[in-house]
Amino acid sequence: MANHSLEAIRNAVPAILPSLLLCDFGDLKSEVARLVDAQIEVLHLDVMDGHFVPNLTYGMPIVEGLRRHTDLPLDVHLMISDPLEYAKPMADAGADLLTFHIEAVHPEEAAETAQRIRELGVGVGVALNPETPLSTLARCLPMVDMALVMSVEAGFGGQEFNPIALEKLRAIREQYPDLLLEIDGGIDTSTIEPARQAGCDLFVVGSAIFRQDDYGRAIGALSEAMTSRSGEQQEAPRS
Ligand code: DX5
Ligand code: ZN
């Protein structure tokens, strides 16, 4: 089944993805409208179970609620212990791409996990934390649509960028020239460009957007920084 939303994510590259973790959940519909006004094309949803990571966020009801109010592709980051337990409910709720953490499965089960998620008709990504060696992804990278390289330990926004992520991005890009690459954690106007130069396609941003009053201005600055050296043209968001 052609996954049109996955194509939409690919077509958005290079893209800034606001991470829905530090946003105002008491006014989510308006928050999404503000992001759409800033010409955001993909949303990143941080699902945490309080077990795989020491933080608890939200599940299918929020995904369903977002699905009702936006057609933007929903890139769902599963920071949960048993990704296959919730993959189908999340896909049914409206997720377009489901990313599981390699640390949450047995390495020899990662390829099968990816395959079973893809069979749900959604895109599949695999994520790894800064301390996790790239070698753990070897068997499942050929099975996924995206690799999510964490530049912070999964669990919280507002952490400091870990440059180990840049080495991993370069190594994956060299071996998989067409794989979607995403980076997540500590992305701001000073770290987004090195990540782009390392071959990254999708840039998840939390505090560098949601801790600013003017989302359009923040996203415009990030977009400019992202393409500063590569000279790629980006449409300036309406402020
Ligand atoms: C952390 C989440 C990230 C985080 C990004 O576990 O996966 O998406 O919210 O927030 P910043 O950009 O503030 O590091
Ligand atoms: Zn995330």
Side-chain angles (χ1 to χ4, degrees):
M1 177 179 118
N3 183 320
H4 300 296
S5 301
L6 190 58
E7 277 320 298
I9 294 173
R10 286 188 193 287
N11 294 337
V13 168
I16 293 162
L17 283 64
S19 135
L20 299 190
L21 178 63
L22 300 177
C23 60
D24 177 358
F25 283 98
D27 194 10
L28 199 48
K29 193 175 171 188
S30 310
E31 290 283 85
V32 172
R34 291 172 70 186
L35 296 170
V36 170
D37 275 353
Q39 297 188 346
I40 286 299
E41 296 178 84
V42 186
L43 295 176
H44 179 87
L45 280 55
D46 281 320
V47 174
M48 302 182 192
D49 64 1
H51 182 263
F52 176 70
V53 291
N55 195 359
L56 181 61
T57 57
Y58 50 84
M60 288 68 77
I62 292 286
V63 179
E64 281 164 359
L66 282 163
R67 188 71 295 159
R68 280 198 299 277
H69 292 289
T70 181
D71 293 332
L72 291 183
L74 303 181
D75 163 41
V76 178
H77 181 187
L78 296 174
M79 290 164 272
I80 66 176
S81 294
D82 187 347
L84 283 180
E85 183 176 8
Y86 291 100
K88 184 171 185 338
M90 282 288 175
D92 293 348
D96 294 295
L97 197 157
L98 287 174
T99 298
F100 68 96
H101 264 261
I102 193 69
E103 300 92 350
V105 299
H106 297 290
E108 64 279 5
E109 291 170 356
E112 186 198 345
T113 300
Q115 186 55 34
R116 286 174 61 186
I117 291 174
R118 186 193 293 284
E119 285 163 2
L120 298 171
V122 295
V124 56
V126 64
L128 78 167
N129 277 324
E131 303 310 314
T132 304
L134 196 48
S135 56
T136 59
L137 297 189
R139 276 185 276 182
C140 76
L141 278 179
M143 315 291 289
V144 298
D145 300 297
M146 181 179 85
L148 165 49
V149 177
M150 295 300 293
S151 29
V152 297
E153 183 74 12
F156 296 93
Q159 300 177 74
E160 188 159 336
F161 180 81
N162 183 333
I164 187 85
L166 300 177
E167 293 169 36
K168 292 180 179 177
L169 286 169
R170 279 191 284 269
I172 300 173
R173 179 52 77 223
E174 197 173 312
Q175 203 178 350
Y176 294 90
D178 300 325
L179 185 67
L180 270 177
L181 292 184
E182 183 173 274
I183 192 168
D184 187 2
I187 298 299
D188 59 23
T189 50
S190 67
T191 55
I192 193 167
E193 197 268 338
R196 180 72 184 141
Q197 293 303 318
C200 197
D201 299 307
L202 304 168
F203 306 84
V204 177
V205 181
S207 43
I209 294 174
F210 294 104
R211 287 191 177 149
Q212 311 299 321
D213 293 333
D214 184 333
Y215 292 174
R217 186 183 309 275
I219 291 163
L222 285 158
S223 185
E224 209 169 297
M226 173 174 69
T227 55
S228 55
R229 269 182 37 189
S230 55
E232 291 162 300
Q233 291 309 314
Q234 291 291 311
E235 283 173 48
R238 290 185 298 276
S239 55

